Amino acid sequence: MRACRKLSAVTQNRIPAVISIAGSDSGGGAGIQADLKVFAACGVHGMTAITALTAQNTVGVDAVAPIAPEMIVAQVRAVARDIGIDAVKIGMLGTVVTIEAVVAALGELAEGTPIVLDPVMVSESGAPLLEPEARDALIELLLPRVTVATPNLPEARVIAGSDDDAPELARAIHALGPRHVVVTGGHRDKATDVMFDGETTIEIPGERHPDGAAHGSGCTHSSALAAHLALGFAPVDAARAAKVIAAQAVHDGLREIGRGPGPVDALGIRSRRPLAPPASAHAR
Ligand SMILES: Nc1ncnc2c1ncn2[C@@H]1O[C@H](COP(=O)(O)OP(=O)(O)OP(=O)(O)O)[C@@H](O)[C@H]1O
Ligand SMILES: Cc1ncc(CO)c(N)n1
């Protein structure tokens, strides 16, 4: 049974708690690992329900192990019943069984809790992260439940079943049930995100950073969007903030990490490094 509506974190002047229901990236660039960094960067408390483990690096995905459906529900229930959930980000799902488990887990949320769905299908390195037969379950079971869906261009084309450009795709996907759609711009000529709210198409432009590193850019964007919804931003303002944060994370991306496309950096890790080790430090 769905819990009753609870007061928002903003009304209560508390730190919002946001959960990522997503896959683990052992390379630390995308998935749950990226999401927790973004939540911290946005000033919200991050929580997780892991849907799948991936043995992954910047070059590829070596193995995927789905988490048992009852364990997915248990993770969400545990935090919902104690800490409370102010917003949800959903990332890698992988299988129909996992999608069904996540739908069941959403029953633990208070009414009106914002849900952001990043319909992850393929990794930056080109590995499939959603079984082809799970597309229909994602469309029928999850899309109608979400506040904001954030497909990239190829994902939007798979969901809409057309080769259109972002504005038409955003409208077609909106007709499938989500309240807002943001087609993200990483795979477009200009890195402009396109949002549709049911009435208006809104362009969210930004400079393209061709020399950055973009592994985890979509995860960063959807987590930042969920965090800002929990912070009380309206969806369009949350989408603008998410675009700025994702673009900066790509710009700051850690190109030197791994042999493939390096991970985004949402925390400014490079700028946090000491200029030199203390004189007393000895290399082991
Ligand atoms: N090179 C870039 N320069 C500026 N912004 C970018 C760049 N690449 C991606 N972005 C921004 O990052 C966000 C995520 O977009 P993108 O389309 O790359 O997601 P994605 O393909 O799902 O990411 P991934 O699968 O790598 O995690 C969007 O706001 C997009 O505009
Ligand atoms: C676990 C995971 N989630 C999402 C993506 C998409 O970037 C990825 N590569 N790995």
Side-chain angles (χ1 to χ4, degrees):
M1 196 185 70
R2 186 177 289 267
C4 60
R5 188 179 198 113
K6 74 181 168 82
L7 285 171
S8 78
V10 181
T11 311
Q12 293 184 316
N13 198 23
R14 22 174 207 90
I15 292 177
V18 182
I19 190 165
S20 169
I21 305 177
S24 161
D25 170 2
S26 54
I32 288 279
Q33 287 79 357
D35 298 342
L36 285 175
K37 293 179 212 174
V38 173
F39 292 153
C42 292
V44 304
H45 173 64
M47 310 180 292
T48 61
I50 300 185
T51 55
L53 301 178
T54 71
Q56 183 174 176
N57 53 32
T58 62
V59 183
V61 178
D62 294 346
V64 176
I67 300 296
E70 55 275 17
M71 188 58 198
I72 295 172
V73 177
Q75 291 173 83
V76 177
R77 182 178 294 146
V79 299
R81 298 202 171 168
D82 173 33
I83 301 168
I85 297 175
D86 294 297
V88 179
K89 170 252 162 86
I90 301 173
M92 177 188 168
L93 294 162
T95 69
V96 174
V97 170
T98 300
I99 291 172
E100 289 168 348
V102 170
V103 171
L106 297 181
E108 297 293 326
L109 303 178
E111 201 190 321
T113 306
I115 301 170
V116 177
L117 171 66
D118 179 7
V120 172
M121 293 184 186
V122 178
S123 72
E124 171 94 6
S125 55
L129 297 175
L130 182 76
E131 292 176 354
E133 56 270 28
R135 169 192 172 270
D136 289 355
L138 187 138
I139 291 172
E140 283 158 28
L141 303 179
L142 260 185
L143 262 189
R145 308 282 306 268
V146 313
T147 316
V148 188
T150 65
N152 63 23
L153 190 65
E155 291 159 353
R157 287 182 170 155
V158 170
I159 293 170
S162 89
D163 274 347
D164 284 338
D165 197 10
E168 296 77 31
L169 292 168
R171 282 195 286 277
I173 294 170
H174 186 271
L176 299 171
R179 256 168 285 155
H180 305 81
V181 179
V182 179
V183 178
T184 58
H187 301 253
R188 303 181 73 215
D189 292 343
K190 290 188 177 159
T192 298
D193 298 350
V194 176
M195 183 169 194
F196 185 64
D197 63 2
E199 286 183 7
T200 315
T201 304
I202 302 146
E203 296 223 334
I204 306 179
E207 196 183 328
R208 173 174 282 285
H209 303 300
D211 301 326
H215 174 58
S217 57
C219 304
T220 297
H221 174 267
S222 51
S223 305
L225 211 162
H228 281 78
L229 292 177
L231 288 163
F233 284 55
V236 66
D237 297 322
R240 289 188 202 284
K243 165 68 185 166
V244 170
I245 288 166
Q248 186 65 42
V250 171
H251 173 270
D252 293 346
L254 304 175
R255 291 171 298 279
E256 65 271 54
I257 298 288
R259 288 176 289 117
V264 293
D265 177 11
L267 287 172
I269 289 169
R270 201 186 304 281
S271 65
R272 288 167 194 268
R273 299 177 67 228
L275 294 176
S280 59
H282 293 288
R284 284 171 203 258

